[in-house]
Amino acid sequence: MCMSEKQNPFEEMQDEQIRTFFEGPADRKIKARLDGTMGTFRLLGNIADVYLNRFVDTMVGMANGAGVRDEEAEADQGRLPTGEKKSNDDSKYPNL
Amino acid sequence: MAACNARMKDLEVIHSYLESQASRCFNLLYERYSGKVYAKCLTLLGDTALAEDATQEIFTKIFLNLARFNEKSKFSTWLYSITYNFCIDYIRRKKKEKAIFSDEMERAADIVGDNIPDKELLELNLAQLEQVLHSLNPGDRAILLMKYQDGEQIKDIAKQFGKSESAIKMQIKRAKERARKIRAKNFPDESNSNVYERKAKSLRGNAR
């Protein structure tokens, strides 16, 4: 077995702390909590991925839809939709 | 890119993780560094429960900010700087301590030379070192860990804390002085025996 280079007390202290960390429950506890946190963030990320697009689509749809509804409302009030040409009066009174 | 494995270097693991978002890659980084991060937190915060919480929060930060790692330094350097800053901020918030570093730090610019040898710190045993570190301000503790545990250069430590190099040198010098005093006070036999050993060695050297 080859002799390892002598460690200074700071490195020794660190090694001792790391050994305690992995031998005790701390490592497993932190890992489990971290997995939970990461899982939550991933879930939120996925939700944002899926629903953000839909939300934007819905908003855009609603903005366009509002225009359509305006036209429908105008038509209901007896006015014609803006895109449609006004019909000729002759057709209303063909015999005149 | 291939799935992460233990033989891959940190940067390869990070690139692979950023591409694939595979939790195996992040777990690999955790396995490599969690022990060291925990050890630093424990030394700086002085409490196992706090060190556990801090380790978890630091890795959560890493998880959320890994894409911002700009590769200008080693991953370990980046991770440790987050660790030191997190712990120092925690202590500052908790104790409402503004003086995380010793008062002398800002007045250190004119002081040159460190005539106290590193041996003052490096000859301590674990119990002595823990006492010395415990007697220092958290900022000073962090500086010593950076220098003697992580092997960082003075200029890098100075950059990290936004201090001058001479201020950092001064801080290290103070820590060595404190180490010497604590050792002399708490372990008089050992420090005396070391003095005798040193004298004996020098005498032997002179005799040759």
Side-chain angles (χ1 to χ4, degrees):
Chain A
M1 192 175 148
C2 72
M3 286 282 287
S4 60
E5 203 175 312
K6 193 181 179 301
Q7 287 184 311
N8 75 40
F10 287 87
E11 292 163 340
E12 266 180 63
M13 183 178 70
Q14 179 175 250
D15 283 355
E16 182 64 24
Q17 288 164 332
I18 291 173
R19 196 180 56 76
T20 318
F21 174 71
F22 284 114
E23 282 178 2
D27 173 40
R28 271 166 285 145
K29 220 162 46 178
I30 294 171
K31 186 81 183 58
R33 280 173 0 194
L34 200 59
D35 282 343
T37 311
M38 282 163 59
T40 308
F41 278 119
R42 286 212 169 96
L43 181 69
L44 289 174
N46 290 340
I47 289 172
D49 272 353
V50 172
Y51 289 105
L52 204 62
N53 288 338
R54 284 193 187 177
F55 176 72
V56 171
D57 287 347
T58 309
M59 294 305 281
V60 170
M62 280 171 70
N64 290 336
V68 172
R69 273 199 298 277
D70 285 349
E71 287 176 357
E72 282 169 358
E74 280 177 353
D76 287 346
Q77 286 168 9
R79 279 173 284 165
L80 291 167
T82 49
E84 213 171 290
K85 276 188 180 175
K86 205 174 180 181
S87 61
N88 197 341
D89 279 352
D90 294 348
S91 61
K92 269 188 178 175
Y93 308 102
N95 295 325
L96 289 177
Chain B
M1 191 174 273
C4 291
N5 61 62
R7 279 169 294 172
M8 287 167 83
K9 289 178 183 167
D10 288 348
L11 276 183
E12 292 171 329
V13 174
I14 291 164
H15 290 159
S16 183
Y17 173 72
L18 292 176
E19 266 180 33
S20 65
Q21 296 291 312
S23 52
R24 181 176 158 69
C25 298
F26 192 81
N27 287 345
L28 199 57
L29 292 175
Y30 174 83
E31 281 160 21
R32 280 183 193 173
Y33 291 105
S34 56
K36 286 186 179 177
V37 168
Y38 173 82
K40 290 181 198 312
C41 291
L42 185 58
T43 307
L44 292 172
L45 301 173
D47 180 271
T48 50
L50 287 180
E52 284 173 19
D53 289 347
T55 306
Q56 187 204 334
E57 287 197 38
I58 288 161
F59 275 95
T60 306
K61 269 175 186 266
I62 299 296
F63 170 71
L64 294 174
N65 294 295
L66 199 54
R68 290 189 199 167
F69 172 53
N70 57 17
E71 300 179 23
K72 281 182 184 170
S73 61
K74 285 196 290 183
F75 172 70
S76 58
T77 309
W78 183 66
L79 173 61
Y80 297 155
S81 76
I82 290 174
T83 304
Y84 290 122
N85 286 326
F86 181 91
C87 292
I88 289 171
D89 281 349
Y90 179 86
I91 295 163
R92 195 175 272 150
R93 280 200 313 269
K94 201 78 182 166
K95 294 185 177 174
K96 293 180 180 159
E97 254 184 46
K98 291 197 172 165
I100 286 294
F101 297 95
S102 301
D103 300 343
E104 298 87 358
M105 192 115 169
E106 300 305 328
R107 290 185 270 120
D110 300 331
I111 302 168
V112 286
D114 176 3
N115 49 9
I116 303 176
D118 281 352
K119 270 200 282 183
E120 292 294 339
L121 280 173
L122 301 182
E123 276 183 353
L124 298 174
N125 63 35
L126 285 188
Q128 293 168 340
L129 180 64
E130 277 169 10
Q131 281 197 15
V132 169
L133 289 174
H134 188 70
S135 74
L136 297 173
N137 290 334
D140 301 346
R141 245 178 279 166
I143 287 172
L144 290 185
L145 291 188
M146 284 169 139
K147 178 160 168 47
Y148 295 107
Q149 202 170 71
D150 305 338
E152 282 194 38
Q153 302 289 315
I154 299 282
K155 63 173 184 203
D156 295 328
I157 301 172
K159 202 192 286 178
Q160 198 159 316
F161 286 115
K163 305 280 177 191
S164 67
E165 285 185 37
S166 52
I168 299 293
K169 281 180 193 165
M170 186 65 205
Q171 229 38 57
I172 292 169
K173 185 183 168 187
R174 299 262 171 205
K176 287 177 193 168
E177 280 171 358
R178 208 156 295 166
R180 182 190 277 171
K181 279 180 195 162
I182 288 171
R183 196 178 184 187
K185 187 181 164 194
N186 296 354
F187 308 93
D189 296 339
E190 285 187 38
S191 57
N192 285 341
S193 70
N194 277 336
V195 169
Y196 295 139
E197 274 173 29
R198 263 180 254 149
K199 277 185 182 171
K201 267 185 192 173
S202 69
L203 285 173
R204 280 199 296 270
N206 289 340
R208 280 173 202 161

